[in-house]
Amino acid sequence: MDAALNVTYITLGGYVEVQKYRYLYFVIMFGVYILIICCNSTIVCLIVIHQNLHQPMYIFIAALLLNSVLFSTAIYPKLLIDFLSEKQIISYSACLFQVFMFYFLTCSEFLLLAAMAYDRYVSICKPLQYPTIMTKTTVSLLLVLAWILPASHIAVPVVLNIKNKLCSFTLKGIYCNNSLYHLYCVNSLALSIYGVVVLLNVALFPMVFILFTYTKILIISYRSCREVRKKAAQTCLPHLLVLMNYSFLLTYDVTIIRVESDIPTVRFVMTLQMVIFNHIFNPLMYGLKMKEISKHLKRLFSQIKVN
């Protein structure tokens, strides 16, 4: 902490042998960052360009992949700088901003997955009412809620912690997340309770809603004809796989990352997993499993080969 300038700096102490492998880390993570941006942006652009993809399901997918681009841009540039720096530090204000972006976008993804589940439920279980229920107004409202609700929830503890006093200045991580709360001299009970409420509102409740919705879809599909079952499998399976992945990563962040005594290498690897796997997995899953998106991707790649 620089008392003269009244600026607080936090050391990011979660790196493993960064001095020895700095260039290897940099090359790998830079490649991953470019891959994430290209994969997600390509599918988002395809959805924007092609009129037949201007449907609620694809709009929600585009929003989900846009979240991945924003999330990666909030994390990766700082990571890349740290790999090449002698000291891995971040200002307290920048750390709080990273915390806000991390949890705002992560929680937003759960709400977007819930919106997708509702869209699939209406499409499969109430096909005749689909055009009147999933209107442009409904889709716009769901998108706004998916971004505004988590942003407003996460902003409260971030703003309240701006003046909170730090007693430790070394964070067990490579970017700012829940571990930041271990650095405070006094942890507010009210904020801890509020954190549980936030977790329920923007993660657990949407997850329960998704599971309930897909259970209904499964029951109705089982009682319906083969064509309905095929449609349900094609459109719902990618969403369920993505949900499982998100749930695993959120469970890790909420539980294991709060444990003080753990193996640094395991923490490092799992932390990298959170910023790598999920944001590559999503565009690959939707690009390969969603028939219409896959069709446009094949056409795009064939045009690139011809040129």
Side-chain angles (χ1 to χ4, degrees):
M1 180 175 179
D2 190 333
L5 297 175
N6 198 27
V7 177
T8 302
Y9 291 97
I10 296 170
T11 300
L12 299 169
Y15 291 91
V16 176
E17 297 192 61
V18 67
Q19 305 298 332
K20 185 178 180 181
Y21 298 112
R22 65 170 68 250
Y23 297 112
L24 178 62
Y25 287 156
F26 179 86
V27 170
I28 292 174
M29 296 305 289
F30 181 73
V32 169
Y33 180 46
I34 296 300
L35 183 63
I36 289 172
I37 297 298
C38 291
C39 289
N40 287 279
S41 299
T42 299
I43 296 180
V44 171
C45 289
L46 286 176
I47 292 171
V48 170
I49 292 169
H50 295 285
Q51 197 69 31
N52 70 321
L53 297 181
H54 292 182
Q55 299 174 27
M57 177 175 63
Y58 299 113
I59 292 171
F60 292 134
I61 289 173
L64 191 74
L65 300 184
L66 180 61
N67 269 16
S68 289
V69 173
L70 295 174
F71 180 94
S72 300
T73 303
I75 300 294
Y76 276 82
K78 182 66 174 78
L79 276 181
L80 296 173
I81 292 170
D82 285 340
F83 287 137
L84 299 181
S85 302
E86 289 299 319
K87 293 182 178 180
Q88 290 73 43
I89 61 173
I90 186 171
S91 69
Y92 180 52
S93 57
C95 191
L96 284 174
F97 176 74
Q98 207 171 59
V99 167
F100 171 76
M101 293 299 292
F102 183 93
Y103 291 107
F104 152 51
L105 293 170
T106 300
C107 294
S108 173
E109 287 167 354
F110 273 98
L111 293 175
L112 286 171
L113 287 171
M116 289 182 194
Y118 178 68
D119 173 71
R120 290 301 83 204
Y121 169 75
V122 176
S123 175
I124 294 169
C125 303
K126 300 180 179 180
L128 297 179
Q129 299 175 357
Y130 185 81
T132 56
I133 295 176
M134 294 306 295
T135 62
K136 288 184 178 180
T137 303
T138 303
V139 173
S140 300
L141 180 62
L142 290 173
L143 285 175
V144 169
L145 285 175
W147 281 315
I148 296 297
L149 192 64
S152 59
H153 275 57
I154 303 300
V156 173
V158 169
V159 171
L160 293 178
N161 278 321
I162 290 175
K163 299 293 184 181
N164 209 346
K165 187 179 179 182
L166 298 175
C167 283
S168 177
F169 301 94
T170 301
L171 188 73
K172 286 187 177 181
I174 59 176
Y175 54 82
C176 296
N177 54 13
N178 264 333
S179 297
L180 183 64
Y181 291 99
H182 291 308
L183 308 186
Y184 293 127
C185 299
V186 178
N187 283 316
S188 169
L189 178 60
L191 281 180
S192 296
I193 295 172
Y194 179 80
V196 174
V197 173
V198 171
L199 183 65
L200 290 172
N201 284 345
V202 295
L204 294 183
F205 287 158
M207 194 184 304
V208 171
F209 173 78
I210 293 168
L211 293 175
F212 171 77
T213 303
Y214 281 125
T215 301
K216 294 280 288 183
I217 291 173
L218 183 65
I219 293 170
I220 291 175
S221 300
Y222 179 75
R223 294 172 179 172
S224 303
C225 63
R226 184 179 177 183
E227 191 63 30
V228 173
R229 290 198 296 270
K230 184 179 178 182
K231 178 184 177 182
Q234 285 179 341
T235 59
C236 296
L237 182 60
H239 302 323
L240 285 173
L241 292 174
V242 170
L243 174 65
M244 289 169 60
N245 188 45
Y246 276 127
S247 302
F248 170 74
L249 294 177
L250 181 70
T251 301
Y252 167 75
D253 184 74
V254 171
T255 57
I256 300 177
I257 206 167
R258 289 180 174 271
V259 179
E260 289 284 354
S261 56
D262 62 347
I263 304 169
T265 304
V266 173
R267 180 187 286 268
F268 182 60
V269 171
M270 286 301 298
T271 304
L272 286 177
Q273 166 95 341
M274 293 186 71
V275 298
I276 294 176
F277 181 75
N278 193 52
H279 305 288
I280 293 177
F281 177 80
N282 288 357
L284 289 177
M285 178 56 59
Y286 290 122
L288 296 175
K289 293 295 183 181
M290 302 301 287
K291 187 177 178 181
E292 290 301 318
I293 296 177
S294 179
K295 194 185 300 181
H296 286 296
L297 279 174
K298 289 175 182 177
R299 193 175 301 154
L300 176 64
F301 289 137
S302 63
Q303 289 175 352
I304 291 173
K305 286 181 180 178
V306 171
N307 296 333

